[in-house]
Amino acid sequence: MAGAGISTPSGIPDFRTPGSGLYDNLKKYNVPYPEAVFDIDYFAYNPRPFFTLAKELYPGTYKPNVVHYFMRLLHEKGLLLRCYTQNIDGLERMAGIPPKKLVEAHGTFSSASCHLCYTPFPAREARDCIMSGKSPHCKVCYGVVKPDIVFFGEDLPKRFAKFSKDFPKADLLIVMGTSLEIEPFADIVKSVRPNVPRLLINRDLVGPFKSKPLKSTDVVELGELCDVVRRFVTALNWQDDMDELMKSQKL
Ligand code: CNA
């Protein structure tokens, strides 16, 4: 399970890190409250704040980092059952994790649709429009089109339901770079079998990892994700594989 913290080393701010997080830097979006940027009712009233943010987040500007490539290595080694991510930056795809191994629980910029009648709209056209400071409009009802990013108040993609089959199969759950604040994503952390180890790699304690005492099968590695992941890669003796993978991606 991954969140915005896996992409901060790529230069994309998360939501809640004090100082650098989006919630502390919302002046330029001109919104009355932070969540308004991703609120579907606010979007219907004024889509500009989201489009301003979307211009920054559209895949292409940022590159995956060692944490994304660690997940790719897990896949290459046949160890990745699925990556459930809340991120909308597309860096998991860019790191080469195949779409069938991914659940982009909060949606993706790779498709777009009308926020009113849900008619699909060409993603490329939506991107060009938003990048040039215009709002894309539905060809059926003239509603404003948005990339298929899940807003507060919207359903998660159907694919998210896969968790109910995946999680009971897992032998290990790794949770990285998330505050586990947003439901229903946060809740699926409970869906592994009771004795399956859960590993949190994060700057701070979150969700069930805050419990005192910690559940005996839960493990916490607090720190900078890139540092912790690099240590893991060394401990696993995967250094050469990681170097080769990152070199092949011309990083
Ligand atoms: P969040 O609530 O901002 O939490 C991020 C967590 O990661 C916090 O606990 C941080 O302490 C931790 N963290 C940040 N950077 C690091 C680091 N370098 N090393 C270790 N820990 C770190 O973000 P969540 O993902 O939990 O919240 C869910 C929202 C954020 C989703 O709806 C996303 O769509 C949304 N979001 C996504 C992106 C993106 O796609 N990159 C960026 C900003 C927000």
Side-chain angles (χ1 to χ4, degrees):
M1 293 172 69
I6 71 163
S7 293
T8 57
S10 296
I12 306 175
D14 63 5
F15 270 177
R16 290 179 180 80
T17 293
S20 62
L22 284 171
Y23 282 177
D24 274 357
N25 292 282
L26 284 165
K27 265 195 209 109
K28 63 178 162 179
Y29 304 114
N30 203 11
V31 279
Y33 54 97
E35 289 85 357
V37 183
F38 291 107
D39 183 311
I40 195 64
D41 294 330
Y42 193 84
F43 178 86
Y45 161 72
N46 176 13
R48 296 307 334 152
F50 172 71
F51 286 154
T52 306
L53 178 67
K55 273 170 87 166
E56 284 178 45
L57 283 185
Y58 254 113
T61 315
Y62 299 98
K63 285 184 178 158
N65 61 59
V66 71
V67 185
H68 301 94
Y69 286 113
F70 176 61
M71 296 195 290
R72 162 82 185 270
L73 265 190
L74 290 174
H75 162 62
E76 297 295 336
K77 306 269 181 196
L79 296 169
L80 182 69
L81 174 59
R82 203 90 59 194
C83 164
Y84 283 76
T85 183
Q86 296 167 95
N87 293 348
I88 53 176
D89 53 34
L91 295 187
E92 297 88 356
R93 283 177 190 237
M94 213 185 285
I97 299 168
K100 68 174 191 304
K101 288 278 163 136
L102 268 176
V103 173
E104 293 165 314
H106 291 170
T108 162
F109 282 101
S110 63
S111 59
S113 52
C114 173
H115 89 284
L116 285 179
C117 72
Y118 308 112
T119 302
F121 187 90
R124 183 81 222 180
E125 208 179 308
R127 181 195 168 112
D128 291 348
C129 232
I130 293 166
M131 287 312 226
S132 61
K134 290 182 241 146
S135 299
H137 284 278
C138 175
K139 291 170 183 158
V140 176
C141 76
Y142 206 66
V144 179
V145 165
K146 76 169 181 56
D148 289 335
I149 302 300
V150 179
F151 278 27
F152 296 117
E154 288 192 308
D155 290 338
L156 270 54
K158 283 198 183 74
R159 216 173 139 68
F160 178 69
K162 269 188 177 301
F163 84 85
S164 63
K165 292 216 170 93
D166 280 347
F167 275 53
K169 283 191 216 152
D171 301 312
L172 167 68
L173 175 65
I174 307 179
V175 181
M176 299 191 282
T178 171
S179 58
L180 288 183
E181 292 275 345
I182 298 187
E183 299 294 356
F185 190 91
D187 211 42
I188 65 176
V189 74
K190 296 180 196 148
S191 303
V192 286
R193 283 167 286 133
N195 292 324
V196 164
R198 299 184 298 187
L199 164 65
L200 172 73
I201 314 177
N202 211 39
R203 276 191 196 132
D204 38 12
L205 293 173
V206 296
F209 299 93
K210 282 195 229 163
S211 299
K212 279 185 186 151
L214 195 61
K215 189 169 175 264
S216 62
T217 44
D218 285 348
V219 181
V220 170
E221 278 291 323
L222 290 185
E224 281 301 302
L225 261 157
C226 289
D227 297 343
V228 176
V229 162
R230 280 200 194 94
R231 265 197 290 123
F232 273 44
V233 168
T234 307
L236 288 159
N237 219 1
W238 289 358
Q239 191 59 56
D240 289 349
D241 299 326
M242 180 61 97
D243 290 347
E244 217 163 278
L245 180 60
M246 291 186 73
K247 223 182 286 158
S248 73
Q249 303 284 316
K250 294 197 183 75
L251 284 176

